[in-house]
Amino acid sequence: MINRCAAMLLGLASACAQAAPLDEVFEADRAFARHALAHGAEAAFVAFAAEDAIFFRPGVGPVRGRTAIAAVFAGTTAVPRWGPSGGEVAASNDLAWTWGPYTWTPLERQAKSATGYYVSVWRRIDGQWRWVADLGVPAPPPELPPR
């Protein structure tokens, strides 16, 4: 009986250890989004990028490196919002991906918002999760569930 309990506890501890890194990656993605709301897209995309990050957007890209990524966002006035809906961490616990919906809302009233989905690839660098690849594709906004 003790061996069975020990095995169950070890299995539970193993499952918790595997879940913690995904929680960390989700929190890094959410912090990235909060930084964009507070400081703008350019500041956030540069602050959370790995030095060799690569960025893809329709009509733009691939763009590699923080300096080039900053140039893509220079003068952007739209307010980005996003959040992870899913993701996974590699068995090595140093590589992960997240995905979810995004919205870019321009500050100019006559301009139209952009919606879609993103995928970000993350790598743990010096103990911090940094995005190494980011891809966004336009799509209609997700449907809300009925009330």
Side-chain angles (χ1 to χ4, degrees), residues 84-95:
S85 294
E88 191 170 326
V89 177
S92 63
N93 284 336
D94 63 354
L95 193 63

Side-chain angles (χ1 to χ4, degrees), residues 49-142:
E51 191 63 42
D52 61 345
I54 189 164
F55 177 76
F56 300 91
R57 284 292 185 274
V60 179
V63 178
R64 184 177 290 274
R66 288 182 182 152
T67 302
I69 290 165
V72 168
F73 287 104
T76 299
T77 59
V79 177
R81 295 180 191 274
W82 71 85
S85 294
E88 191 170 326
V89 177
S92 63
N93 284 336
D94 63 354
L95 193 63
W97 59 271
T98 57
W99 69 272
Y102 70 80
T103 301
W104 288 78
T105 305
L107 296 178
E108 303 81 21
R109 291 198 155 172
Q110 68 277 13
K112 189 174 181 182
S113 292
T115 60
Y117 290 87
Y118 73 93
V119 173
S120 296
V121 178
W122 298 82
R123 184 172 61 219
R124 192 189 312 256
I125 301 170
D126 296 329
Q128 290 188 325
W129 288 101
R130 300 278 184 189
W131 69 268
V132 294
D134 187 80
L135 169 67
V137 294

